[in-house]
Amino acid sequence: PEAFEEFKVVSVQQLLKQYIDEGRIKLDPSVNHHTITVHDPCNYVRKSQLFFGDHMGHLNRWLTMQCVDPSLYREMCDDPLNNECCGAGGGAWAMPYDHERLEYGKTKAAQVKETGAEIVMAPCHNCRDQILKALGAEHKKGTPGFDMGNYKETLYLWELVANTLVVEPWSEAEIEKAHALRDA
């Protein structure tokens, strides 16, 4: 227990921001050419606001904006706390209630269409799967109520960042410094 006191739990969003701010990772937003919007998961935004007094909505947007030219960003709603639920939360993605989950997801499909975005960034795995594999599949089939406009794909936050990474080999001095930090 005492050995763990120095450790702090952080979200992937906080860690990515720290790495960007420190220059540990570099991003090249010019590699992304599609319009993008951010979906705010219920657990990561509304529930975090309720239980921790803060949400990751603004941080999700900041991170997304580091990965694209600002002219390609499309806002989905006026406030992250007001973004529509995708319909997959609370275990609904894993449960045998496909009809209900899809019906609930129609509001998210309409919201995506309104943005005109081609890519949806969804940091939650349930949300990503619902938007990509369920709503997106219905959109591609032309199912009424699932028109998502220009939609092409849903990416996790980490996928978006990984696709934007600038990979530069480290010098021997940088490797030595990193090993010293690790060992400390």
Side-chain angles (χ1 to χ4, degrees), residues 33-163:
H33 306 286
H34 298 292
T35 53
I36 190 165
T37 191
V38 172
H39 165 70
D40 296 296
C42 295
N43 280 340
Y44 289 6
V45 177
R46 285 169 285 286
K47 195 180 282 184
S48 291
Q49 180 69 38
L50 183 65
F51 289 109
F52 305 115
D54 190 13
H55 61 76
M56 297 296 160
H58 299 301
L59 189 50
N60 284 328
R61 283 158 179 74
W62 184 87
L63 289 163
T64 299
M65 295 297 288
Q66 305 310 300
C67 297
V68 300
D69 181 286
S71 68
L72 298 174
Y73 181 75
R74 306 292 184 263
E75 185 54 67
M76 195 177 289
C77 63
D78 63 334
D79 183 310
L81 295 171
N82 294 332
N83 211 332
E84 295 288 341
C85 174
C86 70
W93 177 253
M95 300 299 285
Y97 304 114
D98 292 348
H99 176 75
E100 292 83 357
R101 181 175 42 78
L102 284 169
E103 282 299 310
Y104 196 87
K106 285 181 179 179
T107 58
K108 177 52 66 179
Q111 199 177 32
V112 170
K113 180 182 179 179
E114 286 178 31
T115 70
E118 298 163 289
I119 306 295
V120 175
M121 189 288 286
C124 167
H125 65 281
N126 282 335
C127 297
R128 183 247 184 206
D129 286 351
Q130 168 80 339
I131 297 167
L132 177 71
K133 296 177 181 178
L135 306 180
E138 296 300 318
H139 165 69
K140 287 178 182 169
K141 288 192 282 187
T143 306
F146 292 95
D147 180 3
M148 293 169 62
N150 297 325
Y151 173 81
K152 290 182 169 70
E153 185 177 11
T154 303
L155 296 174
Y156 290 116
L157 175 60
W158 63 264
E159 277 183 296
L160 179 62
V161 171
N163 292 344

Side-chain angles (χ1 to χ4, degrees), residues 12-31:
V12 68
Q13 292 93 335
Q14 293 165 322
L15 187 63
L16 287 170
K17 182 171 186 335
Q18 177 186 338
Y19 284 177
I20 292 167
D21 287 347
E22 292 174 353
R24 293 175 71 176
I25 62 174
K26 294 179 181 120
L27 304 174
D28 179 8
S30 71
V31 301

